[in-house]
Structures are given as structure tokens and as C-alpha cells.
Amino acid sequence: MRYFDLAVILLYLVGITWFGSRFRSNQKTLKDYFLGGRNAPWWAIAFSIVSAETSTLTVIGTPGIAFNGNFGFLQVILGYLLARIIISSLSSRTIFAARCSPPTN
């Protein structure tokens, strides 16, 4: 690996650690951890759904496939993202209002 590659990996690790530590103080119980204190914005829910459904291999492999001229799979990924944004923005308020919670025991 070159130094630039290592710097990108290090920057990612530091950034994701910083991002997670920003939300650590808001979580007092296990229910807060799972539900995000019932105040997660729709875009965070959308990205969470997309990241849970899309594998790392897909994210890494799609640019290479698209670079070779096949944009079909890229359209699927963009469709996933658009659909999840719409679903999350429409359903997050309803889910939080219904006081739904995952099993914690």
C-alpha cells in the first residue's frame, strides 16, 4: 500500500470513531441505543437501511463495473438509495409515533 492509501484508511477510522462518539452521550438505556432516542432524522434512517442491505463488495465493485461501461448495476444501487430515502422519510414519523421498539431482553 502506498502512504496515501494508508492515510485514507486512517482518516476513515478517525472520522467514524469521532462520528460515533458524538452520539454516545445521548444514549442512556439500551432502548435509546436501538431507537436513537426516537429522534433520528429520516436521512440517517435511510443510510442505515441502505448500509445494512448493500454489501461492501457491491459498493467496492460497482465503480469498477461502471468504469468498464456497464451502468446497469449502478442504476440499481441508485434506485436502492432513492427508494430507501422515500421510505424512510415517509415512515419514520409513523414508527416513532407508534412507540415501536425492538426486543431488548
Side-chain angles (χ1 to χ4, degrees):
M1 283 193 189
R2 298 181 184 225
Y3 292 113
F4 178 75
D5 296 331
L6 294 173
V8 168
I9 293 170
L10 182 64
L11 182 65
Y12 170 77
L13 292 174
V14 168
I16 202 72
T17 302
W18 172 80
F19 185 78
S21 68
R22 285 187 53 217
F23 298 102
R24 173 176 48 116
S25 62
N26 297 337
Q27 299 169 356
K28 306 293 185 227
T29 65
L30 191 57
K31 189 177 271 190
D32 284 342
Y33 173 78
F34 282 110
L35 297 175
R38 294 192 188 275
N39 62 1
W42 65 266
W43 56 265
I45 296 169
F47 284 127
S48 175
I49 293 169
V50 170
S51 66
E53 291 182 348
T54 307
S55 69
T56 303
L57 185 58
T58 302
V59 172
I60 292 172
T62 300
I65 294 169
F67 182 77
N68 286 331
N70 183 358
F71 291 100
F73 201 67
L74 183 61
Q75 291 173 349
V76 171
I77 298 299
L78 293 176
Y80 284 162
L81 183 60
L82 180 63
R84 294 330 182 261
I85 287 172
I86 292 169
I87 290 168
S88 298
S89 65
L90 295 176
S91 66
S92 60
R93 288 186 185 146
T94 305
I95 291 171
F96 286 153
R99 312 278 309 160
C100 296
S101 63
T104 56
N105 290 336

